[in-house]
Amino acid sequence: MKNAIPFIAFQQNISGIDLPQKFTFPFYYEPHELSKIASQELQQYLETQTDWKHNFGLQEDGEGLVIGKMFGVLVVQNQANELGYLAAFSGKLADSNEHLHFVPPVFDMLQHDGFFKQEEKILNVYNRKIEDLEKEAAFFSLQEKLASTLSLAEKDKAEKKEQSKQNKIIRDEIRIKAENELDFESYKTVQKKLSKESQLESIQLKQMNHFWKLEIANAQQKVDDFQTKINQLKEERKAKSAALQQKLFEQYSFLNQSGISKSLGAIFEGNPPASAGECAAPKLLHYAFANQLKPIALAEFWWGQSPKSEIRKHGHFYPACTGKCKPILAHMLDGMELDDNPLLQNPAENKELTFLYDDEYLSVVHKPAEFLSVPGKSIQDSVYSRYKEKFPEASGPLIVHRLDMSTSGILLLAKSTETYLNLQAQFMKRTVQKRYVALLSGKIEQDSGEINLPLRVDLDNRPNQLVCYQYGKPAKTQWKVIERRENTTLLHFFPITGRTHQLRVHAAHPEGLNTPIVGDDLYGTKADRLYLHAEAIRFWHPVLRKEMDVVDEVGF
């Protein structure tokens, strides 16, 4: 169904709400009040609409594959200065790119009369031809003939070689007997006869090998001739597919507020990731620019069950992805005044490191929350830089292990390469014992347990991590409840491995504790801080040769 009126008027009275001074920074934001109201109204529509059917996994009687979906709202102002909002979904919804109530895709590949569908029909013809040839009885017959020829050749060669081996044994026995029993002339006659038999047998073996070589080559050639027809069709299909892809990249263009259009191919320099441009944010902004609507505020939220690999909570707001959307939005938002990027602000300003232990070989420090362990791309201030400044004579990597910027607590540092390598070896052998304390945003019924969920980076949305059983690295966490409160649970984490975001993902993922850490702005909901603290560490001092126990208590 084609879109009728994508511009949606607010149902709620918004007259008393001030407009934001700047447009939303899409990669890290707190939704503006207008965005929240628009999202609430869209969510109410999703709960009550009967225009289409899509199984979000929210009802037990849902039909079809469960697919949660990211939705977006863009608060806009039309040329009559009226406020309203646009709605969009990422990818397809109910097997279609277009629905009433939502903006259309930037480029609809599913249009029946569009070039993509027409070219796709041609590619499907190639697919059928290739499939028919690969399944053709004549091709199977040729392949079977080749296999049979190879089998017969091997069998014949093996039998002839075995017979030749036995004949040689017999000739050797005859030769020995003739040498012992016959006179010299008679022995020479026997020897000459045996040599001729050996030569004849050698010639026959060569002839047999030549015969089978020709038979195999002939059978192989017939298979190759047939395969060439298939390969030729595959090459033609590949060329047409590549041309279609390039044409698609050129047609898939995005507008910005200046009316400048830039294609997907140009944005990603000819190599865009799969599904780039199909997220909600680019759809919303493109429609606004194409229809003279002024963007005011943006928000995106997840609706439905979480995917198995990612962590997506029903109804929660999320930033735009970095892999697919960031390059596109860099063009689309060019020239617009955006909210400040908090990722460029130094969170460690006016914060100090506290030394829990220090000697001439190593240090144990308390890292405050929102404090980098090592310098970032944009911010140099970190535990590393502060430590290097305090101990300029210290050498080596210094930081023995890391904590997430948002995690507070114990960090171990070495003042020499030798000490660093020794401590690193202890971490690799998993003899270092660490304990974290965390406050989770819900009730945990069990008292203790162990989580095994392999992790890898989300290539489309760094630095987020995914649970991935195929490519992820093993990640193991043990945990124990300390205290259950009204709406939260305080517990200890004992990480056996040390993967990026391990405790945060293991807490939030449905196959883990399914309860995010309070204040986790990546896998849960933002709060005044991330309530995760590295509370204790036990390791072997490599120089003083004694066990070190350091505790850094926190009041959660």
Side-chain angles (χ1 to χ4, degrees), residues 120-319:
E120 194 176 48
K121 289 179 182 178
I122 296 173
L123 290 176
N124 287 336
V125 171
Y126 274 95
N127 291 336
R128 285 193 295 272
K129 285 182 178 179
I130 292 167
E131 187 177 348
D132 289 344
L133 282 174
E134 288 177 334
K135 291 181 178 179
E136 193 168 310
F139 190 37
F140 278 116
S141 178
L142 292 173
Q143 290 174 317
E144 288 176 354
K145 176 65 176 176
L146 174 60
S148 174
T149 302
L150 288 168
S151 177
L152 288 172
E154 289 301 314
K155 182 180 179 182
D156 193 21
K157 288 178 182 180
E159 289 176 352
K160 291 292 194 299
K161 284 181 181 179
E162 179 62 27
Q163 185 61 52
S164 178
K165 181 180 177 181
Q166 295 301 321
N167 289 343
K168 185 178 183 304
I169 293 172
I170 293 171
R171 287 195 296 271
D172 288 342
E173 290 175 351
I174 293 173
R175 185 179 293 109
I176 292 169
K177 185 177 180 181
E179 186 177 7
N180 292 331
E181 296 180 359
L182 301 178
D183 58 64
F184 182 69
E185 289 299 324
S186 298
Y187 169 73
K188 282 174 62 178
T189 302
V190 171
Q191 176 69 2
K192 187 176 181 180
K193 179 176 179 293
L194 293 175
S195 294
K196 284 184 177 180
E197 287 179 3
S198 178
Q199 290 172 3
L200 180 61
E201 196 169 76
S202 178
I203 291 169
Q204 288 173 340
L205 283 173
K206 288 180 180 179
Q207 289 175 339
M208 175 201 66
N209 285 329
H210 182 67
F211 168 79
W212 284 120
K213 185 177 180 180
L214 291 176
E215 287 292 303
I216 291 170
N218 184 45
Q220 183 69 61
Q221 186 62 52
K222 291 179 180 178
V223 171
D224 291 345
D225 289 344
F226 209 103
Q227 187 66 54
T228 298
K229 297 177 185 177
I230 297 173
N231 292 341
Q232 185 176 348
L233 286 172
K234 286 183 176 180
E235 286 299 317
E236 290 176 14
R237 180 184 63 181
K238 182 179 178 181
K240 287 188 175 294
S241 179
L244 174 58
Q245 195 82 311
Q246 288 304 313
K247 188 175 180 181
L248 175 62
F249 294 160
E250 292 168 6
Q251 295 288 326
Y252 219 136
S253 296
F254 303 85
L255 288 168
N256 62 19
Q257 68 169 2
S258 302
I260 298 172
S261 183
K262 197 170 185 179
S263 71
L264 198 63
I267 290 172
F268 288 95
E269 298 181 347
N271 190 31
S275 303
E278 296 182 26
C279 294
K283 288 182 180 180
L284 290 165
L285 287 165
H286 181 81
Y287 186 88
F289 294 139
N291 291 275
Q292 292 75 52
L293 298 170
K294 181 183 178 181
I296 302 297
L298 173 74
E300 294 180 274
F301 62 87
W302 182 263
W303 195 256
Q305 279 190 18
S306 175
K308 289 186 177 181
S309 58
E310 295 178 84
I311 295 173
R312 291 285 185 261
K313 300 296 181 181
H314 176 62
H316 283 208
F317 290 102
Y318 290 94

Side-chain angles (χ1 to χ4, degrees), residues 344-355:
L344 298 179
Q345 300 171 6
N346 180 14
E349 194 171 347
N350 300 322
K351 295 179 181 179
E352 297 294 332
L353 294 178
T354 304
F355 282 76

Side-chain angles (χ1 to χ4, degrees), residues 341-368:
N341 178 0
L343 302 177
L344 298 179
Q345 300 171 6
N346 180 14
E349 194 171 347
N350 300 322
K351 295 179 181 179
E352 297 294 332
L353 294 178
T354 304
F355 282 76
L356 305 171
Y357 175 85
D358 182 56
D359 62 27
E360 59 182 301
Y361 310 107
L362 57 85
S363 303
V364 183
V365 303
H366 163 83
K367 184 188 83 67

Side-chain angles (χ1 to χ4, degrees), residues 421-437:
L421 291 174
N422 186 291
L423 293 171
Q424 268 283 298
Q426 293 183 48
F427 273 93
M428 293 176 68
K429 293 176 182 177
R430 298 178 183 172
T431 58
V432 177
Q433 296 178 33
K434 295 178 289 180
R435 184 178 78 233
Y436 289 71
V437 61

